[in-house]
Amino acid sequence: MSIKVIHPGLLTTIQDLGRFGSQKFGVIVSGAMDPISLRIANLLVGNNEGEGALEITLLGTTLQFDTDELVAITGGDLQPTIDGEKAPMWRPVLIRKGSVLQFKSAINGCRAYVAFAGGIVVPEVMGSKSTYLRAAIGGLQGRALQKGDELDSGDSNPLSQAFVQQLEKMTAHFNWSVDYTEFISFDKTQTIRVLHGAEFERFDIESQQAFYSKPYKLTTQADRMGYRLDGEPLSLSEKFELLSEGVTYGTIQVPSNGQPIILMVDRQTTGGYPKIGQVISVDLPCLAQMQPNTNIQFKKFSLEQAEVELIKQEQLLRKLAMGIHFKALHK
Amino acid sequence: MAYQKINAHIRPLGDSALVIQLGDGISLAIHEKVKNISNLLEKEPFTGLIESVPSYNSLTIYYNPVAVFLSNTDKASASPYKKVSAIILSLLDQLETSETSEQRLITLPVVYGGEFGPDLEYVASYHGLSVEDVIEIHSSNEYLVYMIGFAPGFPFMGGMDERIATPRKDSPRLAITPGSVGIAGKQTGIYPLETPGGWQIIGRTPLDLFLPELSPPTLLQAGDRIRYVPITLEEYAVYKEMKQ
């Protein structure tokens, strides 16, 4: 056993990019709330970008290493330290046998990701390592990490071995890190770009305007399933009942109390409340990193532009993957 | 039966999914179309297709827009949404209407009211009925499972009597006990896990609906016919014991 959980923190789970293909049985997708930070963490240790990693939420988590491990820490800054010294983020880090990796509280963002070279050895459930707490499936026995848990990393590959060699020999020259600002921001107030939801036109004019002009506060009722917001109440011009249909990550539903709910990764597969908007994919990581009691400003966006942004982001990520590869092999 | 052009409306669900709307309301005929398109997509998946999820009268298609973009040889229309829409429309053109498939009949025991059905009295008073009337009406119809959604194994059933159709709660409950039987508009369904939810809860079944060790991992499947049988608290306890 290589990594021991000394302190689990507020909520630490194993997540990958999600459980797809079983939504028709109502099986929730789950996965990393901030998929970009997860993918970058995996790339930095030579993994397949969709490998399972730890998602640490807001507070604490202390891990003790019983073997040398190549890791990468990305996402929100939860003040990670290794044996009391500030741990670098957004680059490969070699953690020595006997060392302790400790997280404190979030100074920005909400969720940190820790990827281990070779991934985390847990069985896949319906094709994914993602933990889905409510159904108790995936991850480590379907639950959050607990004190005393032990995690194993998988076999490392030549890319991660090259990083390990570099880190062992020339630590002083290993001074690069990924410029994450091209992918994500950790601002306290976020402008979140949205497309009109299917029922947008059925809200009254005042509500349509308020949705794009008034700030909405992220309440403390914000978890992996959904973010409940607080702001100008939104109302329909005429009340109606919808039949349930497919919803997705970032769908903004409005129940009859008028306060929007944004569906997150542990969302239900279908929903029946009117959909006023849909967060565009490239803004989901920023949304995932928001802390309770911070403000969202919605901004209208077009589908064509959202697609362009998404393709651009993917091209950037491909370039980043190549850059990381180059760093590993260039001695 | 001859090929028949299907009327469908396609709309985006964000930048990575779309919804094919095949009609309004709950009807068997529309449901058959939904199933047929879903089957056809499974047989002929396009590059970038992730999965499809049927509901009463629509099918939601989840796709990877980047994969669709890269597979697109026609650079003049670079929009992945437009590309997938075009693929769907051509699939609809070749869709054949088929006979209704065979269905299972399953009976589900339910304790109505009391602590297990906290909204039963509200449903009764909303319609000016007695609690007994609501139980009688709810348990005398036969239902069809149109879709499994919301949570693992949650069956959405149609065929409910208009006399007890009741809107969802104004604000969803934060936690509903597994097995809870609910009403939302003209639908009825059962919560398999503890989740938040806005349906009016009228009773509870002792049966497990999500069975992750089985394949498919659900007690009920789209297309099943269901009957509810009222049971007492004592009978509920017996069922629970039998499962141990």
Side-chain angles (χ1 to χ4, degrees), chain A residues 224-237:
Chain A
R224 287 178 43 85
M225 184 175 181
Y227 284 2
R228 287 188 183 221
L229 306 182
D230 186 24
E232 192 83 9
L234 304 169
S235 47
L236 300 165
S237 9

Side-chain angles (χ1 to χ4, degrees), chain B residues 103-115:
Chain B
Q103 299 156 328
R104 303 188 295 172
L105 176 64
I106 294 167
T107 51
L108 294 177
V110 176
V111 178
Y112 284 96
E115 190 199 329

Side-chain angles (χ1 to χ4, degrees), chain A residues 62-266:
Chain A
T62 307
L63 305 171
Q64 178 162 4
F65 290 73
D66 290 347
T67 49
D68 292 354
E69 292 279 348
L70 182 72
V71 308
I73 306 162
T74 62
D77 187 352
L78 274 56
Q79 307 182 65
T81 57
I82 298 167
D83 295 334
E85 302 257 331
K86 192 171 180 221
M89 291 181 64
W90 302 95
R91 55 159 259 197
V93 180
L94 185 59
I95 298 186
R96 292 296 186 180
K97 179 180 174 174
S99 290
V100 171
L101 171 64
Q102 185 169 20
F103 291 84
K104 294 190 198 105
S105 57
I107 52 173
N108 72 31
C110 190
R111 293 155 228 280
Y113 293 85
V114 185
F116 304 90
I120 303 174
V121 181
V122 287
E124 288 193 351
V125 178
M126 298 177 212
S128 165
K129 292 183 180 176
S130 283
T131 314
Y132 175 44
L133 294 174
R134 282 200 175 86
I137 58 171
L140 195 67
Q141 297 158 29
R143 58 168 174 77
L145 294 194
Q146 291 171 4
K147 187 180 170 167
D149 281 344
E150 292 185 348
L151 304 170
D152 258 336
S153 59
D155 296 332
S156 61
N157 61 28
L159 198 62
S160 50
Q161 284 156 16
F163 275 140
V164 170
Q165 279 174 15
Q166 283 186 39
L167 286 159
E168 275 176 341
K169 282 179 197 156
M170 43 188 291
T171 312
H173 303 287
F174 204 96
N175 57 0
W176 60 272
S177 63
V178 168
D179 177 14
Y180 62 82
T181 57
E182 289 190 278
F183 298 95
I184 183 170
S185 86
F186 297 99
D187 296 345
K188 290 273 184 239
T189 298
Q190 292 278 5
T191 298
I192 296 292
R193 293 169 292 180
V194 296
L195 313 178
H196 280 189
E199 285 75 47
F200 181 86
E201 306 291 342
R202 301 180 73 168
F203 286 84
D204 60 36
I205 297 293
E206 293 76 26
S207 298
Q208 293 182 12
Q209 284 166 352
F211 181 64
Y212 288 122
S213 59
K214 300 275 167 60
Y216 281 86
K217 193 174 84 178
L218 181 55
T219 68
T220 50
Q221 281 175 21
D223 60 15
R224 287 178 43 85
M225 184 175 181
Y227 284 2
R228 287 188 183 221
L229 306 182
D230 186 24
E232 192 83 9
L234 304 169
S235 47
L236 300 165
S237 9
E238 202 181 320
K239 219 178 152 157
F240 62 93
E241 281 286 314
L242 276 179
L243 288 174
S244 291
E245 63 173 30
V247 289
T248 192
Y249 189 9
T251 300
I252 309 170
Q253 294 191 326
V254 183
S256 353
N257 69 4
Q259 297 298 343
I261 298 173
I262 312 181
L263 302 179
M264 304 301 280
V265 288
D266 279 355

